[in-house]
Amino acid sequence: MVPVPSFHIVGAGKVAQTLAALWQQSGRYCLHSVWSRSSASAQQLLGQVAGGQHCADIHTLPEADIVVVGVKDDAIEAVDALLANLPWLSAQTTVLHFSGAHSSHIFRQLAGKGVSLGSLHPVYAFAEVATAIAQLHGHFCAVEGDASALPLLHNLAVAAGLQPFTIAAQDKSRYHAALSVSANYLVTLNAYARSILTNTGLPEAVAAVLVHSLMQQNLNQLADLPPQQALTGPIVRGDAATVAAHLKVLSASEQPLYRVLGMETARLAQTRVGLADTQTMLDLLSSKE
């Protein structure tokens, strides 16, 4: 019988807890040890995964096939230096991290140890571990790394129920910027729209539903249509008077974001409204009068 590959978790955050549980449940990988700066998070992970042990000292991690680094982005380099001192590292060892912003090249110390390096980034908002374990199946996952690591990375993604796609190391930051805009800035935009409704007399609960509902409708449209076709509203209608009325009622602190988003929307709408109307809208939105 072929032994099941073993893996360590180094840094027991929400992503690590979720993936460790799913890998263990798959039966294709076996959790060996967990190290974390927070013993509470390590114990929380071990409480969700049948098997595995807590390792109090990262320097004493025993031999394993895979080392999964689940620490915050700004701690990866420090962990890289610590892991590079493990005496049992070999060409048969794979080390990977979960960061969407960094490529496997951040493992500068480990790169000199002959191990296979990679990154695995599930495209999912990990707000709560139990929910993530239940809902992660079917979501996409970016994999990147050494040619020797890619087959294992794909298999790890599939074992967790994810749909893997490969991305080049040099494209990771641009990839992550796009995801940050689509995920984080959507939340910011929701908050911005709600804040504009603050002094309208609408109950806060009603304002929240109005904004969320309209955003959800547009997200649903974007599932079937390209952005240019899904776009609605005064800018794509060339309705400069309405946009001017918006600017008139927005405060000095509210206007900058409205103007920036409006100008990008005008450029997006240009193929539908024409160059002349687009320029009129851009002139209006860029004017500080």
Side-chain angles (χ1 to χ4, degrees):
M1 180 180 294
V2 178
V4 176
S6 60
F7 67 94
H8 293 321
I9 293 292
V10 176
K14 293 177 183 178
V15 182
Q17 290 184 38
T18 301
L19 271 295
L22 292 172
W23 286 332
Q24 191 84 340
Q25 290 172 16
S26 75
R28 296 169 60 178
Y29 301 94
C30 177
L31 176 63
H32 192 306
S33 300
V34 180
W35 174 89
S36 178
R37 287 181 296 178
S38 166
S39 59
S41 63
Q43 294 302 330
Q44 185 176 359
L45 187 152
L46 290 168
Q48 298 185 59
V49 180
Q53 62 185 19
H54 179 222
C55 181
D57 185 350
I58 194 171
H59 298 97
T60 63
L61 279 171
E63 187 171 354
D65 301 298
I66 307 162
V67 181
V68 181
V69 177
V71 299
K72 296 179 180 179
D73 286 7
D74 60 4
I76 294 175
E77 289 182 301
V79 169
D80 168 50
L82 294 173
L83 292 177
N85 292 318
L86 293 173
W88 47 264
L89 297 174
S90 72
Q92 282 68 53
T93 310
T94 300
V95 183
L96 63 103
H97 65 67
F98 291 132
S99 173
H102 294 292
S103 74
S104 56
H105 293 174
I106 197 171
F107 289 132
R108 294 180 180 87
Q109 301 299 315
L110 285 164
K113 300 297 180 177
V115 302
S116 294
L117 301 172
S119 66
L120 187 154
H121 182 247
V123 185
Y124 181 85
F126 289 83
E128 204 277 327
V129 174
T131 301
I133 291 173
Q135 297 182 355
L136 192 63
H137 184 87
H139 286 269
F140 285 96
C141 179
V143 298
E144 168 276 327
D146 298 336
S148 58
L150 287 177
L152 173 61
L153 294 171
H154 277 81
N155 290 339
L156 284 167
V158 171
L162 295 161
Q163 299 186 58
F165 63 91
T166 304
I167 190 163
Q170 66 268 22
D171 294 328
K172 277 296 290 287
S173 291
R174 193 167 181 85
Y175 151 83
H176 194 252
L179 295 191
S180 295
V181 170
S182 58
N184 308 145
Y185 296 176
L186 179 67
V187 176
T188 303
L189 188 59
N190 184 287
Y192 172 66
R194 290 194 200 187
S195 71
I196 293 174
L197 291 171
T198 300
N199 297 320
T200 62
L202 285 175
E204 186 176 340
V206 173
V209 171
L210 285 176
V211 173
H212 176 82
S213 176
L214 196 55
M215 293 182 85
Q216 188 62 61
Q217 290 170 42
N218 279 276
L219 285 172
N220 292 341
Q221 295 265 44
L222 285 166
D224 301 313
L225 299 172
Q228 291 88 344
Q229 287 182 245
L231 188 61
T232 62
I235 291 178
V236 78
R237 293 196 301 267
D239 189 353
T242 296
V243 173
H246 292 172
L247 291 169
K248 187 174 181 179
V249 298
L250 293 175
S251 69
S253 63
E254 292 169 335
Q255 282 197 21
L257 183 55
Y258 182 94
R259 289 180 183 277
V260 169
L261 292 172
M263 286 189 283
E264 287 303 310
T265 303
R267 295 182 183 104
L268 180 64
Q270 181 176 325
T271 57
R272 291 175 57 183
V273 302
L275 184 58
D277 282 349
T278 297
Q279 192 57 55
T280 298
M281 195 67 70
L282 289 172
D283 291 343
L284 170 62
L285 289 162
S286 62
S287 172
K288 301 304 181 185
E289 296 180 4

